[in-house]
Amino acid sequence: MKSRDWVRLFISTLLVGGISTVILGFMIRWSEYQSLFIEGNVVEILSVMFWLLGVGFIFSVISQMGFFAYLTVHRFGLGIFKGLWKPVQIILIVFVLFDLVYFRYQWFADADDRLLSFFLYPGFLLVFALVVAYFKAKETNKEAFIPALFFMIVVTTIEWVPALRANEESWLSFMLLPLLICNSYQLLILHRLIKKS
C-alpha cells in the first residue's frame, strides 16, 4: 500500500472518530446538554462540540494505534503459531469476554447488583464484532472472519481499558462506541485500499 493511502486512512479515520464522537457525545449525554439547545446558547454548544471533536480525535488515534499493533501481532502470530493461530485467537476471544464479565463483577459490583447486568457490554461487543467480521469475510474471504472477530473484541477491549478502569457508565459507552466505529471502519476499508493500490 502506498504512503498516501496510509495518510488517507489516518485522516479519514480521524474524521470518522471525531464526527462520531460529537454525535454520540450529544446523544449519550443529552440530559447534560439539552439545556444548551433549549436556551439557544450557540457559544456553549460550539465549545462542547469542539471538546467532543478533540476527544473523538484522541479515541481515533487510540483506535489506529491498536489497529497497527494488531497488524503486527497478527503477522507474528501467523509466523509463530502457524496453523494454530486461529484456535489461539478463539481462546483469547473467549478469555477476554469472560474477563469482561467476571472481573468487572468482582471489582465493581454492589451488593444489590446482579451478575446478568454485567453481560450487557460483552454481549453488545460480541454481536457488533460478529456483524463486522461477517461483512469482512463476505467482502474478502472466509479466512478473515476469526482475525476480524479477534480484532474487534480483543483489541477494542484493550483500547477501552481507561474507561473500564473508571467504570463510569456514561464513559463506558462514550468511549466504546467511537472505538467500535473507528475499528470497524479501518477493518472494512483496508482491503479496498490495498486493492486500489
Side-chain angles (χ1 to χ4, degrees):
M1 205 160 85
K2 296 174 184 174
S3 58
R4 73 169 174 237
D5 291 324
W6 285 116
V7 171
R8 187 178 299 144
L9 178 62
F10 173 78
I11 292 171
S12 62
T13 308
L14 204 63
L15 290 172
V16 166
I19 293 167
S20 64
T21 303
V22 169
I23 295 166
L24 291 166
F26 278 117
M27 288 171 61
I28 292 168
R29 297 178 172 198
W30 180 246
S31 59
E32 295 175 34
Y33 302 133
Q34 185 178 9
S35 61
L36 298 177
F37 287 92
I38 292 170
E39 295 166 7
N41 194 335
V42 177
V43 175
E44 282 291 320
I45 292 169
L46 287 174
S47 66
V48 170
M49 281 179 66
F50 281 118
W51 181 81
L52 290 171
L53 190 67
V55 172
F57 287 162
I58 292 169
F59 291 163
S60 172
V61 170
I62 291 170
S63 167
Q64 292 184 63
M65 287 168 47
F67 185 61
F68 289 113
Y70 166 72
L71 293 176
T72 306
V73 167
H74 184 64
R75 282 287 140 210
F76 278 123
L78 288 171
I80 295 168
F81 295 104
K82 308 219 185 285
L84 292 175
W85 179 229
K86 196 176 282 186
V88 167
Q89 289 179 96
I90 293 169
I91 290 167
L92 289 171
I93 289 167
V94 172
F95 184 72
V96 166
L97 289 172
F98 172 79
D99 285 353
L100 274 175
V101 175
Y102 179 76
F103 285 119
R104 283 191 67 237
Y105 180 74
Q106 289 296 318
W107 293 337
F108 301 115
D110 294 325
D112 57 340
D113 283 340
R114 303 173 84 185
L115 178 63
L116 196 61
S117 64
F118 287 85
F119 279 88
L120 180 65
Y121 282 112
F124 173 74
L125 184 60
L126 176 62
V127 170
F128 194 99
L130 285 168
V131 171
V132 173
Y134 168 78
F135 282 109
K136 179 68 175 181
K138 187 178 178 184
E139 292 179 14
T140 55
N141 59 67
K142 63 181 182 179
E143 297 299 314
F145 184 82
I146 297 299
L149 196 65
F150 177 85
F151 172 69
M152 290 301 298
I153 293 174
V154 176
V155 177
T156 301
T157 302
I158 292 168
E159 296 165 351
W160 192 31
V161 163
L164 287 171
R165 291 183 67 174
N167 197 47
E168 189 180 323
E169 193 64 35
S170 61
W171 271 100
L172 285 169
S173 52
F174 179 57
M175 187 173 188
L176 177 62
L177 295 173
L179 285 175
L180 285 173
I181 291 168
C182 288
N183 284 346
S184 55
Y185 171 76
Q186 290 176 99
L187 196 63
L188 295 174
I189 202 77
L190 182 66
H191 59 273
R192 294 187 179 98
L193 290 174
I194 292 171
K195 187 177 180 181
K196 185 180 175 183
S197 62

